Amino acid sequence: MDSNKGMGLFSIILGLIFIIFPMISESLISIIIGFSLLFFGISAAYTGWDMKKYANNMYANLFIAIGIIAAIFGFLFIFYIDALSFLIGIEFYLIGFILIIFGIAGLLSRAGTVSLLTSILVIVMGIIAIALAAFAMAQPIYIAIILGVILIIEGLMILFIE
C-alpha cells in the first residue's frame, strides 16, 4: 500500500472518530493544541532568554513575550477554552472578512478579469463564512461532525481518485 492510500484510510478512520465521538475528539484536539502551544511557548521563551547573551535585547524580549503568550494559550486550551471552536471561529471570521474585502475590491476595480457576478458571489461567501464563525463558536460539536464528514470525503477522494 502506498502512502497516499494509507493517508486516505487514516483520514476516513479519523473522520469516523470525529462523527461518532464529537465531544471526545473536540476535547482531544484542544489538549493536543494546548500541549503544542505550551511546549512551543517554553521553547520560545528559553530561546529568547538564551538570545539575551548574544543578540539584540529587542528580539530576545520579543521571543520571551511570544513564548509567554503561547504558554498561556497552551494552558487555556488544555484546561479551559475549547480550541476547536475558538480557532475555527477565528479562522472563519478572518476568511469571511478577507472575502468581503476582496469582493468589494472586485466591485470597485471593475477590471476585465473580475466579473460583477464573481465579486457578488465572493461577498456572499464572506457573509456565509462569518455566519459559520458565529455558528462554530456557539456549537462546536457540529463543527467536529462537519470536520469528520470532510475528513471522510477527503479520504475517499484520496483512495479512489488519486
Side-chain angles (χ1 to χ4, degrees):
M1 177 186 315
D2 64 2
S3 64
N4 282 343
K5 302 295 182 189
M7 287 303 295
L9 286 174
F10 179 72
S11 180
I12 291 171
I13 292 169
L14 194 61
L16 287 172
I17 291 171
F18 268 55
I19 290 172
I20 296 170
F21 306 108
M23 291 296 288
I24 294 171
S25 59
E26 177 183 330
S27 298
L28 183 63
I29 287 174
S30 290
I31 291 170
I32 290 170
I33 291 173
F35 276 115
S36 298
L37 280 173
L38 179 64
F39 291 136
F40 170 74
I42 292 169
S43 172
Y46 177 76
T47 301
W49 187 263
D50 198 39
M51 282 176 65
K52 282 191 171 205
K53 299 176 210 169
Y54 307 108
N56 187 350
N57 277 342
M58 183 180 79
Y59 292 119
N61 291 336
L62 182 65
F63 268 70
I64 292 171
I66 289 172
I68 291 170
I69 291 169
I72 289 171
F73 272 105
F75 278 121
L76 287 174
F77 286 155
I78 292 170
F79 296 112
Y80 183 67
I81 295 178
D82 176 30
L84 187 65
S85 63
F86 177 75
L87 293 175
I88 290 177
I90 288 177
E91 287 174 6
F92 277 137
Y93 278 123
L94 287 173
I95 290 168
F97 288 127
I98 289 170
L99 286 173
I100 289 172
I101 290 169
F102 273 109
I104 292 171
L107 286 175
L108 296 177
S109 73
R110 302 297 295 149
T113 59
V114 180
S115 70
L116 178 68
L117 179 63
T118 303
S119 297
I120 291 171
L121 286 176
V122 168
I123 291 172
V124 169
M125 287 179 4
I127 293 168
I128 291 171
I130 290 173
L132 282 174
F135 180 70
M137 296 284 225
Q139 295 294 331
I141 293 173
Y142 296 127
I143 295 300
I145 293 171
I146 291 170
L147 282 175
V149 170
I150 291 170
L151 283 168
I152 290 172
I153 292 170
E154 178 80 20
L156 290 173
M157 287 176 50
I158 290 173
L159 282 176
F160 296 116
I161 294 177
E162 291 182 1

